[in-house]
Amino acid sequence: MLPWRFLHPRMWAFNARNTFHTLIDTLQGAPPRALRARDYVARHATPGDADSVLAALDRYAIEERWLMSVGPEKGPLLSEMIGRLPDGARVLELGAYCGYSAIMICQRLAPPGNLVSVEVSSQNAEATRDNVAAAGFADRVDVRVGSSSDEIPKLQGPFDLVFLDHWKDLYKTDLQLLEKHGLLRPGSIVVADNTGDLFSPHAYVDYVRTCGRYDSESREASIEYYSHLPDAVEVSVYRGPDAP
Ligand code: CA
């Protein structure tokens, strides 16, 4: 992602707050943000109550430190897509962070459906495992630690839905890797977060709209926990490898 995107005037308040908090945390030698969010959940959420875990993460993101979780405004769109899946569906997520989206997916995913979540940061993966367990979904989420390019070839497919929410510049190459390894089936839904102008992975959006293998549309959204900052989510349905 190009750094200048963060210099857009709309991003100034967002940047100022996050830069200030990051500076304080660095000076204080604070643990990684995801682990602090995990500890906040442990103190404030009710074990086994997924709604209370999500509410604790929302409260932490608003009152303490911003979290790049899908959040309560975009979350319902993800839930809507999960709701379209058949019973026993398999879901893949690239970018787990604190486990917020994993919990939201499991809430809507009909049993025995399950989720594989690939996360490059071992600390984020630890936070995800603990938060998912706190929400009561430990047996339905398989968290894999590693880079997406290393982990994708090891996966068994196909997946009925893929949620892309990791490093935006990897969206296109990782989607092509999923295709190459046969991890999508005709009808698989690919949901890509943060495809609006501020973060836009243009190469990815161009690819899903023009390669002929997807029926793709953009859904309006806002940056997580910043409802005045416009964003978008790209929803693409795979037509198959031989689609024109
Ligand atoms: Ca995101």
mmCIF file of all heavy atoms in Angstrom, residues 68-70 74 165 168 171 193-194 224, ligand 1:
data_model
loop_
_atom_site.group_PDB
_atom_site.id
_atom_site.type_symbol
_atom_site.label_atom_id
_atom_site.label_comp_id
_atom_site.label_asym_id
_atom_site.label_seq_id
_atom_site.Cartn_x
_atom_site.Cartn_y
_atom_site.Cartn_z
ATOM 1 N N MET A 68 -8.081 -2.580 13.671
ATOM 2 C CA MET A 68 -8.443 -2.734 12.255
ATOM 3 C C MET A 68 -9.313 -3.975 12.055
ATOM 4 O O MET A 68 -9.118 -4.744 11.121
ATOM 5 C CB MET A 68 -7.189 -2.774 11.375
ATOM 6 C CG MET A 68 -6.161 -3.786 11.777
ATOM 7 S SD MET A 68 -4.725 -3.701 10.674
ATOM 8 C CE MET A 68 -3.671 -4.934 11.423
ATOM 9 N N SER A 69 -10.287 -4.149 12.965
ATOM 10 C CA SER A 69 -11.254 -5.238 12.830
ATOM 11 C C SER A 69 -12.346 -4.799 11.868
ATOM 12 O O SER A 69 -12.520 -3.607 11.625
ATOM 13 C CB SER A 69 -11.884 -5.561 14.188
ATOM 14 O OG SER A 69 -10.903 -5.858 15.148
ATOM 15 N N VAL A 70 -13.127 -5.749 11.363
ATOM 16 C CA VAL A 70 -14.157 -5.389 10.398
ATOM 17 C C VAL A 70 -15.197 -4.468 11.031
ATOM 18 O O VAL A 70 -15.772 -3.607 10.353
ATOM 19 C CB VAL A 70 -14.796 -6.650 9.766
ATOM 20 C CG1 VAL A 70 -15.640 -7.423 10.757
ATOM 21 C CG2 VAL A 70 -15.580 -6.310 8.516
ATOM 22 N N LYS A 74 -19.464 -2.655 9.100
ATOM 23 C CA LYS A 74 -19.265 -3.520 7.931
ATOM 24 C C LYS A 74 -19.574 -4.979 8.248
ATOM 25 O O LYS A 74 -19.832 -5.776 7.352
ATOM 26 C CB LYS A 74 -17.818 -3.418 7.432
ATOM 27 C CG LYS A 74 -17.594 -2.258 6.499
ATOM 28 C CD LYS A 74 -16.227 -2.313 5.874
ATOM 29 C CE LYS A 74 -15.145 -1.914 6.851
ATOM 30 N NZ LYS A 74 -13.868 -1.634 6.190
ATOM 31 N N ASP A 165 -8.722 -9.762 4.134
ATOM 32 C CA ASP A 165 -8.611 -8.585 5.004
ATOM 33 C C ASP A 165 -7.192 -8.484 5.547
ATOM 34 O O ASP A 165 -6.976 -8.102 6.690
ATOM 35 C CB ASP A 165 -9.634 -8.676 6.147
ATOM 36 C CG ASP A 165 -9.835 -7.328 6.816
ATOM 37 O OD1 ASP A 165 -9.452 -6.299 6.228
ATOM 38 O OD2 ASP A 165 -10.368 -7.293 7.948
ATOM 39 N N LYS A 168 -3.242 -5.194 1.726
ATOM 40 C CA LYS A 168 -4.056 -4.942 0.533
ATOM 41 C C LYS A 168 -3.305 -5.233 -0.772
ATOM 42 O O LYS A 168 -3.922 -5.635 -1.758
ATOM 43 C CB LYS A 168 -4.574 -3.498 0.531
ATOM 44 C CG LYS A 168 -5.227 -3.057 1.841
ATOM 45 C CD LYS A 168 -6.257 -4.040 2.354
ATOM 46 C CE LYS A 168 -6.625 -3.754 3.799
ATOM 47 N NZ LYS A 168 -7.292 -4.896 4.464
ATOM 48 N N TYR A 171 -3.825 -8.811 -2.161
ATOM 49 C CA TYR A 171 -5.151 -9.334 -2.519
ATOM 50 C C TYR A 171 -5.126 -10.039 -3.887
ATOM 51 O O TYR A 171 -5.615 -11.144 -4.032
ATOM 52 C CB TYR A 171 -6.171 -8.195 -2.586
ATOM 53 C CG TYR A 171 -6.767 -7.740 -1.275
ATOM 54 C CD1 TYR A 171 -6.227 -8.089 -0.043
ATOM 55 C CD2 TYR A 171 -7.898 -6.921 -1.272
ATOM 56 C CE1 TYR A 171 -6.786 -7.632 1.144
ATOM 57 C CE2 TYR A 171 -8.468 -6.479 -0.091
ATOM 58 C CZ TYR A 171 -7.916 -6.822 1.115
ATOM 59 O OH TYR A 171 -8.481 -6.374 2.276
ATOM 60 N N ASP A 193 -12.228 -6.699 1.924
ATOM 61 C CA ASP A 193 -12.468 -5.482 2.714
ATOM 62 C C ASP A 193 -11.519 -4.362 2.265
ATOM 63 O O ASP A 193 -10.478 -4.604 1.656
ATOM 64 C CB ASP A 193 -12.255 -5.780 4.200
ATOM 65 C CG ASP A 193 -12.804 -4.661 5.083
ATOM 66 O OD1 ASP A 193 -13.621 -3.860 4.600
ATOM 67 O OD2 ASP A 193 -12.406 -4.598 6.270
ATOM 68 N N ASN A 194 -11.905 -3.145 2.569
ATOM 69 C CA ASN A 194 -11.076 -1.942 2.344
ATOM 70 C C ASN A 194 -10.712 -1.737 0.878
ATOM 71 O O ASN A 194 -9.556 -1.527 0.523
ATOM 72 C CB ASN A 194 -9.803 -1.997 3.198
ATOM 73 C CG ASN A 194 -10.090 -2.205 4.671
ATOM 74 O OD1 ASN A 194 -9.690 -3.207 5.252
ATOM 75 N ND2 ASN A 194 -10.786 -1.296 5.285
ATOM 76 N N GLU A 224 -13.451 1.118 9.376
ATOM 77 C CA GLU A 224 -13.839 0.561 10.652
ATOM 78 C C GLU A 224 -13.677 1.571 11.797
ATOM 79 O O GLU A 224 -12.618 2.140 11.989
ATOM 80 C CB GLU A 224 -13.048 -0.720 10.970
ATOM 81 C CG GLU A 224 -11.628 -0.796 10.442
ATOM 82 C CD GLU A 224 -11.543 -1.341 9.010
ATOM 83 O OE1 GLU A 224 -12.314 -0.879 8.152
ATOM 84 O OE2 GLU A 224 -10.704 -2.223 8.779
HETATM 85 CA CA CA B 1 -10.224 -4.362 7.240
#
